[in-house]
Amino acid sequence: MKHETETQPDLQTLRSLPAVDKVLAQVGQLELPRQAVVAVIRRELEALRGADAIPEADEIVARIQSSLHALWQKRIRPVINATGVLIHTNLGRSPLGEHALAAMAEVASQYGNLEYDMSTGQRGGRAAYLEHNLALLCGAEAATVVNNNAAALVLVLRHLCQEERREVVISRGELVQIGGGFRIPEILEVSGATLREVGTTNNTSCEDYRQAISSATALVLKVHRSNFFMGGFVQSPTTTELATMAHQQQVLLVEDLGSGAVVPTELLHSSLEHEPTPAESLKQGVDLVTFSGDKLLGGPQAGILVGKKTLVAALKGEPMFRALRCDKLILVALQTIVDDYLHGSRQELSDSMRDLHDSSQGQDAGCSLPLHAMMSVTIEQLHLRAEKLVAALADQPWQLEILEGESRIGGGSLPRSVLPSVIVALRPEQKDLATLTTRLRDAAHPVIGYIHADRFCLNLRTVLPTQDEDLIAALRAVGSGQ
Ligand SMILES: *Cc1c(COP(=O)(O)O)cnc(C)c1O
């Protein structure tokens, strides 16, 4: 109540300013909660109190409008990803498919058996079904899930680095940074581990690892170079050699696989390299593998741990596991996606991919994961959509071109793979490109593209086919506003 009365005078002052109605009209349109509006107005007025000269009323209103708009722009909402980067971390990585969404909506709006054993009517394990099928999918003895891959790694390190055994032996060629804020050495540090670097950037041998192992060694860590590649004179032991050596020395081998494809990526598109799968790593002798749920798996944000049964059970017993566990919505989305993978065997997958390339049905055939659909859509299909887009925009004040270009996987995955793509390029007749880019970000359904060679580019591989109409609407709205 006190808060309420305190806010009144500020609003009152503002009401007396000539253009305040304009601000309030704008506010109504943005649907910002009144409390948030009042907070912004108060902050702007507070800032004025310290100023030497008080600006004109119109100027004050303009500032408030711009602050309100900036706040409004920060809320999370759908965008059209026309960047051509499939797993775009800034744009939320993998979009989820209809199966997962339907399952999430159902479980979100009702009660569910999250920790309830349906056969006994007693308290039960969380995500037991998911863990069972995830293990099957990865050819693992056991599996579990936490918040993200960084959390999975912290949990593993916390558990295995204890007392006198804290050293993590890792190659200097694998002390990687993934995107913003994830650096292997820093993750080790916060987990209470001591880094024991071996080898050189480009050359690490099994002998380097062997010599570093002592009674202080907690584990050997292998980190997949998921977002970069090295060429030239590069040597490192195979996973099998590393596992054999580690086991001879009686230490565990853990692998951070990063992207975590569970199907052969080369089957999704002939231009894709093979991404190592968790099943392959486990077969080669790795004791525990961690990977992300929202990279090549095409699921929600999660960190997946697969490997030895005793190890997974011990990790689940860690107090920290409780702090890193996933929400039921994430669990049910993953459960649906894992089952979809299990339903489509490897053979069926390659068949459906072939059908997809032959079919005239478009890119939805046989693909329940939007990520896979985007990877396997053909250039011909993209050209058809580009032509429709250009036809729908013919009366707009732009020069339009259809170009062939490239698309990338992104999200720290398959850095060497480039997929061919089709680009609709816009050259505005009057406004500059920067204004066009900003206007499109401001659209009701924001469009995120990029500027290249004096053109605004829309890379169609990452635009979901269901968004084509919205894309046209956003472009037309911005075009007619010029
Ligand atoms: C992406 C990545 C991570 C971080 O995974 P998050 O799920 O984003 O926490 C860790 N290690 C590697 C090798 C990665 O590629």
Side-chain angles (χ1 to χ4, degrees), residues 89 93 147-153 176-179 182 184 187 222-227 256-260 275 290-295 301-304 411-413:
T89 298
R93 292 196 180 157
N147 229 336
N148 53 28
N149 190 21
L153 210 52
V176 306
Q177 167 157 356
I178 312 292
F182 180 95
I184 289 289
I187 292 284
K222 184 173 159 70
V223 180
H224 180 49
R225 295 181 189 131
S226 53
N227 62 351
D256 170 8
L257 210 46
S259 317
E275 174 75 10
T290 76
F291 61 97
S292 295
D294 54 354
K295 291 186 182 171
Q301 180 190 300
I304 298 168
S413 304

Side-chain angles (χ1 to χ4, degrees), residues 239-287:
T239 305
T240 309
E241 286 165 353
L242 202 55
T244 308
M245 183 280 305
H247 295 154
Q248 276 168 359
Q249 307 292 312
Q250 297 185 331
V251 296
L252 294 169
L253 174 62
V254 175
E255 183 169 21
D256 170 8
L257 210 46
S259 317
V262 295
V263 292
T265 39
E266 66 276 19
L267 289 185
L268 295 169
H269 193 286
S270 58
S271 302
L272 293 178
E273 310 147 74
H274 177 73
E275 174 75 10
T277 66
E280 287 164 3
S281 289
L282 293 171
K283 210 179 254 171
Q284 287 157 358
V286 177
D287 298 288

Side-chain angles (χ1 to χ4, degrees), residues 363 377-394 400-404 421-426 458-461 463 465 468 471-472 475:
Q363 68 191 76
V377 65
T378 64
I379 284 292
E380 292 73 30
Q381 289 165 338
L382 290 177
H383 264 294
L384 285 177
R385 287 171 55 201
E387 279 155 24
K388 276 192 195 150
L389 194 67
V390 167
L393 298 171
L400 293 159
E401 292 163 282
I402 297 176
L403 310 170
E404 292 208 347
S421 191
V422 174
I423 289 149
V424 173
L426 271 63
L458 299 159
N459 190 317
L460 293 190
R461 188 176 281 280
V463 176
D468 281 357
L471 178 59
I472 292 170
L475 288 163

